[in-house]
Amino acid sequence: MTLDLFADEDLQQPARLQSISEQGFVLHGFALPWAEALLQALAGVLIQSPFRHMQTPGGFTMSARLSSCGELGWTSDCNGYSYSPVDPLRKQPWPAMPDTFLALAEAAAGAAGFEHFVPDACLINCYVPGAKMSLHQDKNERSLEAPIVSISLGLPAVFQFGGFERSDPAQRISLFHGDIVVWGGVDRLRYHGVLPIQPGQHPVLGEQRINITLRKAG
Ligand code: MD3
Ligand code: FE
């Protein structure tokens, strides 16, 4: 199902809302009018808390590098996954959540039917060609009622959108610069992942894909 969205007056062309499950949506191009402001705010965050590799509890190194901003940041180490108010690299609070992130997250969530979304955690993933994210569930957030908003920038990715068991078949959905995925409600705990990023050059971001996910973790 697709329909046009006129929620954002800044859009040159209306973004396309694609339903991928009962409460999962791709908002094609929704972030394009915000991209410059997003990247500028992101640069400010990364000066403070740069991208770094993290270890999985099983002792593997994740192929995407990541950072966080907001009250809570996502961390992984030999003890497991958790949200923490402190950046373990700097031993200081994570950078503040930029206003543009909050405003775009609320607008995108609203366009997908989730009103008044106020995230307190923002995980930023950076993929170079070959990097991937294996199928997983996002279940470390305390409030599973809130949706998650995911903003894709840079090189395209093939996103895997599965079921509620790891072995369930997964849809494959291409995500491009400026696309946003919003999911929540009954689809909040679906398995999902990202296939290895293909080599390429993005005109704005070069040889990388950046994914910004906004969550209510606390
Ligand atoms: C989950 N990131 O950081 S987000 C993560 O593109 C993460 O970097 C991926 O998964 C990334 O935890 C994917 C996009 C996404 C989209 C739709 C979903 C995750 C979803 C639907 C259901 C569950
Ligand atoms: Fe995830």
Side-chain angles (χ1 to χ4, degrees), residues 20-21 23-26 62 64 66 74 83 123-127 133-134 136-138 141 148-152 157 159-162 173 175 181-184 187-194 209-213 215:
I20 55 174
S21 64
Q23 289 183 286
F25 303 90
V26 181
M62 295 178 69
L66 52 93
W74 189 88
Y83 282 94
L123 169 55
I124 307 155
N125 294 125
C126 179
Y127 300 78
M133 192 164 293
S134 307
H136 66 279
Q137 294 171 297
D138 291 355
E141 298 75 21
I148 295 181
V149 170
S150 146
I151 306 164
S152 290
F159 169 65
Q160 296 178 286
F161 183 66
I173 296 157
L175 295 179
V181 187
V182 180
W183 71 101
D187 296 312
R188 179 65 179 72
L189 289 176
R190 280 184 187 270
Y191 275 88
H192 59 281
V194 177
R209 168 177 189 260
I210 292 180
N211 180 266
I212 300 174
T213 52
R215 303 131 187 260

Side-chain angles (χ1 to χ4, degrees), residues 34-58:
W34 306 63
E36 218 172 298
L38 286 176
L39 290 170
Q40 203 173 327
L42 182 62
V45 167
L46 295 173
I47 288 175
Q48 301 174 69
S49 285
F51 286 130
R52 77 292 304 265
H53 284 289
M54 284 199 190
Q55 304 295 125
T56 66

